[in-house]
Amino acid sequence: GHLEKETMPVQNFHLSAVPTASELVDIVLLRTQRKTPTVVHPGYKISRIRSFYMRKVKFTSSTISERIGTIVGEFPRLDDVHPFHADLLGVLYDRDHYKLALGQLNTCKKLCESVCRDYVRLLKYADSLYRCKSLKVAALGRMMTLLKRQKASLEYLEEVRKHMGRLPALDPTTRTLLVCGFPNVGKSSFMNKVTRAEVEVQPYAFTTKSLYVGHLDYKYLRWQVIDTPGILDHELEKRNVIEMQAVTALAHLPCAVLYFVDVSENCGYSLEDQASLYHSIRALFAEKQVVVVANKTDVRGLDELSQEQRTLLAEMCDAHRANGAEANEKAPLLEMSNVTERGVDDVKNKACDLLLAARVAKRKTLNNGNRVKDHLQRIVVAKPPPQDSTTTPPRHPSAVGSSSFASSSSSSSSRVCIPESVKAARRA
């Protein structure tokens, strides 16, 4: 059997809605009004009046801390999630902006707490109901001003939250096929053929603007297939958010890479361009299994290509040497056509087999090699030096082997002990 386990933990970002600044102000003030006493008279002792207003200020501050703490706590910290998700969020929402928005909310919370401390200190020395009330109004006013200043951060985080909920639920650790290549070379059509996903297909570049995840079953195992947006051949710095998602997926996911080449050149890019892109991003799949897929062979077969173009394809396959269990085989070149469906299953099966073999080989090396040694290093066998010349062999007490001991232990285990109180209750 395979040394594969069927586990699919998935990072789902389902967060609760982030209120706007004005909604947050209303929530806090309404709660303070409802949850704290509302009646105070000038005739009360001044200590009672002071504690009445102190309670209101403290309650407002604690409500703000609780609300903001919940919002900040729910958003994933980029340092804690899987590096793939951290990079993807960083690309989609701009890492600095994201961290800044959460940091500003945290600062706002701390400032509200310090306003509360300052005004509670002042309230201790207020000498009339009017002074107490003025201080309470000032404290709440300053806290609400701080909240209103978070308008932009809260709106940005709400947009991020909505978008996160729509991110594909992909598991960065499971068996994965990653489809990549130039825009419009037939990646989404292949995805629609082999999985149950429905990715929009149009005859123009960048139809696919984000990562799509579909699933297929092969050898009784669940596989995820990721359709990435097309990548253009230019420097990393010039790539846009749409392309960077594909680069992120390539960099962080342990997967088999299907690199699609449009041999008919109908996608608008020459074979030379497509080979050049392959070589420029090859570093990203240095340790991965790669299949070069010659697509759209219904329009133009491999035998119709010029000698130079065939050489280009052969060089692409030769350049990659990480396939197979020993990680020394070159990438295979497979013909395919989405229109006639010729070779679609071959491509899928070949990629799955390659990845499966690599995963099993990796699991075996872990089991045979380092992991076992690592465990053995943790085990310490105590060998105390002998104290004198006498040797003491291990021995069991004589009673343990006797049949009377065995029968008594079995009978005692079958007998149930009933407490005295229960017996008395039964007699009554």
PDB file of all heavy atoms in Angstrom, residues 336-360:
ATOM      1  N   MET A 336      -0.942  17.048 -25.442  1.00  0.00           N
ATOM      2  CA  MET A 336      -2.311  17.089 -24.930  1.00  0.00           C
ATOM      3  C   MET A 336      -3.147  18.045 -25.765  1.00  0.00           C
ATOM      4  O   MET A 336      -2.619  18.982 -26.372  1.00  0.00           O
ATOM      5  CB  MET A 336      -2.270  17.569 -23.464  1.00  0.00           C
ATOM      6  CG  MET A 336      -3.569  17.387 -22.739  1.00  0.00           C
ATOM      7  SD  MET A 336      -3.475  18.118 -21.110  1.00  0.00           S
ATOM      8  CE  MET A 336      -4.108  19.736 -21.472  1.00  0.00           C
ATOM      9  N   SER A 337      -4.452  17.789 -25.771  1.00  0.00           N
ATOM     10  CA  SER A 337      -5.377  18.741 -26.383  1.00  0.00           C
ATOM     11  C   SER A 337      -6.662  18.773 -25.566  1.00  0.00           C
ATOM     12  O   SER A 337      -7.291  17.741 -25.357  1.00  0.00           O
ATOM     13  CB  SER A 337      -5.690  18.337 -27.817  1.00  0.00           C
ATOM     14  OG  SER A 337      -6.867  19.004 -28.236  1.00  0.00           O
ATOM     15  N   ASN A 338      -7.024  19.967 -25.078  1.00  0.00           N
ATOM     16  CA  ASN A 338      -8.261  20.082 -24.299  1.00  0.00           C
ATOM     17  C   ASN A 338      -9.489  19.903 -25.189  1.00  0.00           C
ATOM     18  O   ASN A 338     -10.534  19.458 -24.729  1.00  0.00           O
ATOM     19  CB  ASN A 338      -8.335  21.457 -23.621  1.00  0.00           C
ATOM     20  CG  ASN A 338      -7.445  21.529 -22.387  1.00  0.00           C
ATOM     21  OD1 ASN A 338      -7.417  20.606 -21.589  1.00  0.00           O
ATOM     22  ND2 ASN A 338      -6.704  22.610 -22.255  1.00  0.00           N
ATOM     23  N   VAL A 339      -9.365  20.273 -26.465  1.00  0.00           N
ATOM     24  CA  VAL A 339     -10.523  20.234 -27.366  1.00  0.00           C
ATOM     25  C   VAL A 339     -10.892  18.781 -27.669  1.00  0.00           C
ATOM     26  O   VAL A 339     -12.045  18.370 -27.517  1.00  0.00           O
ATOM     27  CB  VAL A 339     -10.209  21.000 -28.676  1.00  0.00           C
ATOM     28  CG1 VAL A 339     -11.387  20.894 -29.636  1.00  0.00           C
ATOM     29  CG2 VAL A 339      -9.904  22.459 -28.374  1.00  0.00           C
ATOM     30  N   THR A 340      -9.903  17.976 -28.088  1.00  0.00           N
ATOM     31  CA  THR A 340     -10.192  16.577 -28.418  1.00  0.00           C
ATOM     32  C   THR A 340     -10.057  15.671 -27.194  1.00  0.00           C
ATOM     33  O   THR A 340     -10.354  14.482 -27.263  1.00  0.00           O
ATOM     34  CB  THR A 340      -9.226  16.071 -29.508  1.00  0.00           C
ATOM     35  OG1 THR A 340      -7.887  16.166 -28.990  1.00  0.00           O
ATOM     36  CG2 THR A 340      -9.326  16.904 -30.772  1.00  0.00           C
ATOM     37  N   GLU A 341      -9.573  16.226 -26.084  1.00  0.00           N
ATOM     38  CA  GLU A 341      -9.341  15.503 -24.822  1.00  0.00           C
ATOM     39  C   GLU A 341      -8.273  14.415 -24.960  1.00  0.00           C
ATOM     40  O   GLU A 341      -8.175  13.516 -24.140  1.00  0.00           O
ATOM     41  CB  GLU A 341     -10.648  14.885 -24.272  1.00  0.00           C
ATOM     42  CG  GLU A 341     -11.658  15.937 -23.892  1.00  0.00           C
ATOM     43  CD  GLU A 341     -12.781  15.404 -23.008  1.00  0.00           C
ATOM     44  OE1 GLU A 341     -12.722  14.227 -22.600  1.00  0.00           O
ATOM     45  OE2 GLU A 341     -13.707  16.166 -22.719  1.00  0.00           O
ATOM     46  N   ARG A 342      -7.444  14.527 -25.995  1.00  0.00           N
ATOM     47  CA  ARG A 342      -6.371  13.538 -26.179  1.00  0.00           C
ATOM     48  C   ARG A 342      -5.234  13.833 -25.196  1.00  0.00           C
ATOM     49  O   ARG A 342      -4.730  14.945 -25.138  1.00  0.00           O
ATOM     50  CB  ARG A 342      -5.837  13.608 -27.608  1.00  0.00           C
ATOM     51  CG  ARG A 342      -4.795  12.535 -27.928  1.00  0.00           C
ATOM     52  CD  ARG A 342      -4.514  12.543 -29.432  1.00  0.00           C
ATOM     53  NE  ARG A 342      -3.672  13.667 -29.814  1.00  0.00           N
ATOM     54  CZ  ARG A 342      -2.342  13.648 -29.817  1.00  0.00           C
ATOM     55  NH1 ARG A 342      -1.701  12.558 -29.461  1.00  0.00           N
ATOM     56  NH2 ARG A 342      -1.654  14.696 -30.206  1.00  0.00           N
ATOM     57  N   GLY A 343      -4.865  12.850 -24.416  1.00  0.00           N
ATOM     58  CA  GLY A 343      -3.717  13.014 -23.515  1.00  0.00           C
ATOM     59  C   GLY A 343      -4.017  13.675 -22.185  1.00  0.00           C
ATOM     60  O   GLY A 343      -3.139  13.801 -21.348  1.00  0.00           O
ATOM     61  N   VAL A 344      -5.276  14.108 -21.977  1.00  0.00           N
ATOM     62  CA  VAL A 344      -5.606  14.796 -20.716  1.00  0.00           C
ATOM     63  C   VAL A 344      -5.395  13.861 -19.531  1.00  0.00           C
ATOM     64  O   VAL A 344      -4.736  14.215 -18.544  1.00  0.00           O
ATOM     65  CB  VAL A 344      -7.070  15.326 -20.736  1.00  0.00           C
ATOM     66  CG1 VAL A 344      -7.489  15.816 -19.360  1.00  0.00           C
ATOM     67  CG2 VAL A 344      -7.206  16.458 -21.739  1.00  0.00           C
ATOM     68  N   ASP A 345      -5.923  12.637 -19.650  1.00  0.00           N
ATOM     69  CA  ASP A 345      -5.767  11.676 -18.540  1.00  0.00           C
ATOM     70  C   ASP A 345      -4.311  11.265 -18.348  1.00  0.00           C
ATOM     71  O   ASP A 345      -3.866  11.066 -17.221  1.00  0.00           O
ATOM     72  CB  ASP A 345      -6.630  10.422 -18.789  1.00  0.00           C
ATOM     73  CG  ASP A 345      -8.071  10.667 -18.353  1.00  0.00           C
ATOM     74  OD1 ASP A 345      -8.280  11.646 -17.619  1.00  0.00           O
ATOM     75  OD2 ASP A 345      -8.967   9.907 -18.759  1.00  0.00           O
ATOM     76  N   ASP A 346      -3.586  11.145 -19.462  1.00  0.00           N
ATOM     77  CA  ASP A 346      -2.162  10.773 -19.352  1.00  0.00           C
ATOM     78  C   ASP A 346      -1.396  11.807 -18.532  1.00  0.00           C
ATOM     79  O   ASP A 346      -0.556  11.463 -17.695  1.00  0.00           O
ATOM     80  CB  ASP A 346      -1.520  10.652 -20.742  1.00  0.00           C
ATOM     81  CG  ASP A 346      -2.139   9.515 -21.540  1.00  0.00           C
ATOM     82  OD1 ASP A 346      -2.795   8.667 -20.908  1.00  0.00           O
ATOM     83  OD2 ASP A 346      -1.983   9.480 -22.776  1.00  0.00           O
ATOM     84  N   VAL A 347      -1.669  13.070 -18.817  1.00  0.00           N
ATOM     85  CA  VAL A 347      -0.980  14.161 -18.093  1.00  0.00           C
ATOM     86  C   VAL A 347      -1.306  14.082 -16.606  1.00  0.00           C
ATOM     87  O   VAL A 347      -0.416  14.137 -15.750  1.00  0.00           O
ATOM     88  CB  VAL A 347      -1.398  15.539 -18.671  1.00  0.00           C
ATOM     89  CG1 VAL A 347      -0.938  16.672 -17.769  1.00  0.00           C
ATOM     90  CG2 VAL A 347      -0.835  15.719 -20.067  1.00  0.00           C
ATOM     91  N   LYS A 348      -2.607  13.927 -16.325  1.00  0.00           N
ATOM     92  CA  LYS A 348      -3.040  13.858 -14.913  1.00  0.00           C
ATOM     93  C   LYS A 348      -2.373  12.670 -14.210  1.00  0.00           C
ATOM     94  O   LYS A 348      -1.796  12.812 -13.126  1.00  0.00           O
ATOM     95  CB  LYS A 348      -4.565  13.720 -14.860  1.00  0.00           C
ATOM     96  CG  LYS A 348      -5.121  13.573 -13.463  1.00  0.00           C
ATOM     97  CD  LYS A 348      -6.592  13.185 -13.482  1.00  0.00           C
ATOM     98  CE  LYS A 348      -6.750  11.681 -13.638  1.00  0.00           C
ATOM     99  NZ  LYS A 348      -8.138  11.225 -13.494  1.00  0.00           N
ATOM    100  N   ASN A 349      -2.434  11.487 -14.836  1.00  0.00           N
ATOM    101  CA  ASN A 349      -1.889  10.271 -14.210  1.00  0.00           C
ATOM    102  C   ASN A 349      -0.386  10.362 -14.011  1.00  0.00           C
ATOM    103  O   ASN A 349       0.136   9.965 -12.962  1.00  0.00           O
ATOM    104  CB  ASN A 349      -2.227   9.034 -15.047  1.00  0.00           C
ATOM    105  CG  ASN A 349      -3.727   8.816 -15.136  1.00  0.00           C
ATOM    106  OD1 ASN A 349      -4.489   9.469 -14.431  1.00  0.00           O
ATOM    107  ND2 ASN A 349      -4.151   7.932 -16.012  1.00  0.00           N
ATOM    108  N   LYS A 350       0.313  10.900 -15.030  1.00  0.00           N
ATOM    109  CA  LYS A 350       1.777  10.987 -14.941  1.00  0.00           C
ATOM    110  C   LYS A 350       2.183  11.903 -13.781  1.00  0.00           C
ATOM    111  O   LYS A 350       3.063  11.563 -12.978  1.00  0.00           O
ATOM    112  CB  LYS A 350       2.334  11.530 -16.267  1.00  0.00           C
ATOM    113  CG  LYS A 350       3.854  11.649 -16.310  1.00  0.00           C
ATOM    114  CD  LYS A 350       4.514  10.281 -16.279  1.00  0.00           C
ATOM    115  CE  LYS A 350       6.009  10.352 -16.381  1.00  0.00           C
ATOM    116  NZ  LYS A 350       6.666   9.067 -16.127  1.00  0.00           N
ATOM    117  N   ALA A 351       1.515  13.055 -13.687  1.00  0.00           N
ATOM    118  CA  ALA A 351       1.856  14.019 -12.629  1.00  0.00           C
ATOM    119  C   ALA A 351       1.572  13.422 -11.253  1.00  0.00           C
ATOM    120  O   ALA A 351       2.383  13.534 -10.329  1.00  0.00           O
ATOM    121  CB  ALA A 351       1.060  15.307 -12.829  1.00  0.00           C
ATOM    122  N   CYS A 352       0.421  12.754 -11.114  1.00  0.00           N
ATOM    123  CA  CYS A 352       0.053  12.150  -9.822  1.00  0.00           C
ATOM    124  C   CYS A 352       1.056  11.060  -9.436  1.00  0.00           C
ATOM    125  O   CYS A 352       1.500  10.996  -8.289  1.00  0.00           O
ATOM    126  CB  CYS A 352      -1.345  11.546  -9.881  1.00  0.00           C
ATOM    127  SG  CYS A 352      -2.645  12.791  -9.974  1.00  0.00           S
ATOM    128  N   ASP A 353       1.426  10.217 -10.415  1.00  0.00           N
ATOM    129  CA  ASP A 353       2.376   9.134 -10.121  1.00  0.00           C
ATOM    130  C   ASP A 353       3.723   9.678  -9.678  1.00  0.00           C
ATOM    131  O   ASP A 353       4.351   9.170  -8.753  1.00  0.00           O
ATOM    132  CB  ASP A 353       2.555   8.227 -11.347  1.00  0.00           C
ATOM    133  CG  ASP A 353       1.324   7.355 -11.584  1.00  0.00           C
ATOM    134  OD1 ASP A 353       0.569   7.146 -10.611  1.00  0.00           O
ATOM    135  OD2 ASP A 353       1.109   6.905 -12.730  1.00  0.00           O
ATOM    136  N   LEU A 354       4.183  10.719 -10.381  1.00  0.00           N
ATOM    137  CA  LEU A 354       5.483  11.324 -10.034  1.00  0.00           C
ATOM    138  C   LEU A 354       5.480  11.841  -8.608  1.00  0.00           C
ATOM    139  O   LEU A 354       6.402  11.606  -7.828  1.00  0.00           O
ATOM    140  CB  LEU A 354       5.804  12.477 -10.993  1.00  0.00           C
ATOM    141  CG  LEU A 354       6.451  12.130 -12.329  1.00  0.00           C
ATOM    142  CD1 LEU A 354       6.550  13.368 -13.203  1.00  0.00           C
ATOM    143  CD2 LEU A 354       7.841  11.543 -12.121  1.00  0.00           C
ATOM    144  N   LEU A 355       4.409  12.573  -8.280  1.00  0.00           N
ATOM    145  CA  LEU A 355       4.346  13.183  -6.942  1.00  0.00           C
ATOM    146  C   LEU A 355       4.216  12.101  -5.870  1.00  0.00           C
ATOM    147  O   LEU A 355       4.851  12.181  -4.817  1.00  0.00           O
ATOM    148  CB  LEU A 355       3.175  14.167  -6.856  1.00  0.00           C
ATOM    149  CG  LEU A 355       3.076  14.926  -5.531  1.00  0.00           C
ATOM    150  CD1 LEU A 355       4.317  15.784  -5.293  1.00  0.00           C
ATOM    151  CD2 LEU A 355       1.852  15.817  -5.482  1.00  0.00           C
ATOM    152  N   LEU A 356       3.407  11.093  -6.166  1.00  0.00           N
ATOM    153  CA  LEU A 356       3.197  10.014  -5.199  1.00  0.00           C
ATOM    154  C   LEU A 356       4.521   9.292  -4.906  1.00  0.00           C
ATOM    155  O   LEU A 356       4.872   9.057  -3.753  1.00  0.00           O
ATOM    156  CB  LEU A 356       2.177   9.023  -5.766  1.00  0.00           C
ATOM    157  CG  LEU A 356       1.328   8.250  -4.768  1.00  0.00           C
ATOM    158  CD1 LEU A 356       0.636   9.178  -3.803  1.00  0.00           C
ATOM    159  CD2 LEU A 356       0.293   7.417  -5.501  1.00  0.00           C
ATOM    160  N   ALA A 357       5.258   8.998  -5.972  1.00  0.00           N
ATOM    161  CA  ALA A 357       6.550   8.308  -5.798  1.00  0.00           C
ATOM    162  C   ALA A 357       7.505   9.157  -4.966  1.00  0.00           C
ATOM    163  O   ALA A 357       8.197   8.650  -4.070  1.00  0.00           O
ATOM    164  CB  ALA A 357       7.160   8.022  -7.168  1.00  0.00           C
ATOM    165  N   ALA A 358       7.507  10.467  -5.231  1.00  0.00           N
ATOM    166  CA  ALA A 358       8.424  11.357  -4.492  1.00  0.00           C
ATOM    167  C   ALA A 358       8.029  11.444  -3.026  1.00  0.00           C
ATOM    168  O   ALA A 358       8.885  11.429  -2.132  1.00  0.00           O
ATOM    169  CB  ALA A 358       8.396  12.743  -5.124  1.00  0.00           C
ATOM    170  N   ARG A 359       6.715  11.523  -2.779  1.00  0.00           N
ATOM    171  CA  ARG A 359       6.252  11.629  -1.381  1.00  0.00           C
ATOM    172  C   ARG A 359       6.563  10.350  -0.601  1.00  0.00           C
ATOM    173  O   ARG A 359       6.977  10.387   0.550  1.00  0.00           O
ATOM    174  CB  ARG A 359       4.745  11.905  -1.329  1.00  0.00           C
ATOM    175  CG  ARG A 359       4.395  13.357  -1.624  1.00  0.00           C
ATOM    176  CD  ARG A 359       2.901  13.554  -1.691  1.00  0.00           C
ATOM    177  NE  ARG A 359       2.265  13.400  -0.400  1.00  0.00           N
ATOM    178  CZ  ARG A 359       1.722  14.395   0.307  1.00  0.00           C
ATOM    179  NH1 ARG A 359       1.779  15.617  -0.137  1.00  0.00           N
ATOM    180  NH2 ARG A 359       1.132  14.161   1.455  1.00  0.00           N
ATOM    181  N   VAL A 360       6.358   9.205  -1.259  1.00  0.00           N
ATOM    182  CA  VAL A 360       6.632   7.927  -0.600  1.00  0.00           C
ATOM    183  C   VAL A 360       8.131   7.797  -0.323  1.00  0.00           C
ATOM    184  O   VAL A 360       8.545   7.386   0.762  1.00  0.00           O
ATOM    185  CB  VAL A 360       6.121   6.744  -1.460  1.00  0.00           C
ATOM    186  CG1 VAL A 360       6.612   5.424  -0.895  1.00  0.00           C
ATOM    187  CG2 VAL A 360       4.598   6.753  -1.503  1.00  0.00           C
TER     188      VAL A 360
END
